[in-house]
Amino acid sequence: MKRAGVLMLAAVPVVLAATAYGSSSTAHDDPRPGPPSAAAQRKAPEGLAAPAMKNLAQELVASAENSTLDWRSAYAYIQDIGDGQGYTAGIIGFCTGTHDLLVLVERYTAAHPGNGLARYLPALREVDGTDSHQGLEPGFPAAWRAEAKIPAFQAAQDAERDRIYFDPAVSAAKRDGLGPLGQFIYYDAIVFHGPGTDGFYGIRERATRLAKTPAEGGSEKAYLSTFLDVRRAAMRAKRPGIDTTRIDTAQRTFLEEGNLELRTPLVWKVYGETYKVP
């Protein structure tokens, strides 16, 4: 969520998701002329982009961001969590102070003029890059919650999540030769730190100086361990004492178990709460 802190809602007990996860496939690049064979199409994995895996990724992120596995409940979420980035809102923590919320509302308004958030665009442009609420109070939070009931705005949040965070993270992970766990580790990092040289891409660059990626002939497990070390240090450098359990007792747990495919069942902890996906 492009922030130094973490979003803490009410603590929840052990959460059990009823969704079953499988794998789906797409085509490998075929070195021969013409389209890939049907067999190749069946065998090639989509990784984290497969629908069930993408849902799993959202549940994992939501456990850290919203203390729940029900990530869809966060479409209407909006709160200033005191991290210096204004209002944090929606399924991926779009912020009024970090430009992504403004872009979301601009793009949504271009497709759906006259929506309930459009009148706040001048104020959103003014506060962009700051933690100010000038022009947004008292009505903007209520307007956001109301708009979040509309399927078109939910779809707009999904699209911006994919465009800014999910798709770039998964693409970068695939280029580095990483499987589903590594793809998720990249995704969670870009969600929390944002892109850019002072965010995810800077963390990745530092990690690749210390360890070879699988694409470079390195060990996937060793590289991911290094990446998590670098990311944890980045979190603590920005805010000493920050809770890093989204790494320590979630992602690193999967890594130490050797679960590079992010296969279910999964059990992990964030902020002391236990979550399970069967």
Side-chain angles (χ1 to χ4, degrees):
M1 285 197 174
K2 303 83 62 188
R3 63 179 190 241
V6 291
L7 170 60
M8 290 296 292
L9 301 184
V12 295
V14 172
V15 183
L16 184 63
T19 307
Y21 300 97
S23 61
S24 50
S25 60
T26 188
H28 282 303
D29 291 334
D30 195 321
R32 299 168 299 174
S37 66
Q41 292 180 29
R42 288 194 299 271
K43 290 178 182 178
E46 289 183 277
L48 209 66
M53 293 298 293
K54 188 173 184 179
N55 185 71
L56 174 59
Q58 283 302 123
E59 291 182 320
L60 289 165
V61 167
S63 71
E65 294 289 328
N66 304 101
S67 296
T68 181
L69 296 186
D70 182 13
W71 62 270
R72 292 178 180 84
S73 67
Y75 284 118
Y77 174 79
I78 182 166
Q79 183 181 356
D80 188 328
I81 62 174
D83 62 357
Q85 298 184 96
Y87 284 116
T88 295
I91 58 167
I92 211 64
F94 304 102
C95 295
T96 55
T98 59
H99 196 61
D100 56 352
L101 190 146
L102 169 60
V103 173
L104 166 63
V105 177
E106 285 179 335
R107 292 169 69 92
Y108 178 60
T109 300
H112 303 278
N115 69 79
L117 300 174
R119 65 182 182 273
Y120 292 100
L121 276 171
L124 288 171
R125 294 185 182 111
E126 286 295 319
V127 304
D128 189 29
T130 77
D131 64 355
S132 174
H133 294 181
Q134 184 69 35
L136 299 177
E137 292 184 338
F140 182 68
W144 179 279
R145 287 189 287 268
E147 203 68 24
K149 297 176 183 178
I150 298 173
F153 187 53
Q154 295 175 10
Q157 290 192 42
D158 290 347
E160 286 302 285
R161 171 203 61 201
D162 291 351
R163 187 180 71 86
I164 302 173
Y165 302 109
F166 187 83
D167 291 348
V170 171
S171 293
K174 287 184 175 180
R175 288 194 300 272
D176 286 342
L178 302 175
L181 176 59
Q183 292 166 29
F184 172 72
I185 285 173
Y186 273 23
Y187 177 46
D188 188 71
I190 203 171
V191 166
F192 187 92
H193 298 274
T197 56
D198 60 344
F200 163 70
Y201 290 109
I203 292 170
R204 180 195 166 276
E205 182 180 357
R206 292 193 292 277
T208 56
R209 291 192 196 126
L210 298 171
K212 288 184 177 181
T213 67
E216 297 170 323
S219 159
E220 184 172 8
K221 189 171 183 180
Y223 170 73
L224 288 175
S225 182
T226 298
F227 183 91
L228 291 179
D229 288 344
V230 172
R231 184 188 167 191
R232 190 175 188 271
M235 291 173 70
R236 295 206 161 182
K238 195 168 185 179
R239 185 170 175 178
I242 191 173
D243 189 312
T244 58
T245 55
R246 68 194 296 154
I247 293 174
D248 305 334
T249 54
Q251 295 169 46
R252 195 172 292 281
T253 295
F254 306 147
L255 183 61
E256 290 175 350
E257 291 170 348
N259 191 359
L260 298 175
E261 297 301 315
L262 204 59
R263 293 190 180 93
T264 55
L266 296 176
V267 180
W268 71 98
K269 291 184 178 181
V270 184
Y271 315 134
E273 300 298 326
T274 299
Y275 298 87
K276 296 181 180 181
V277 169

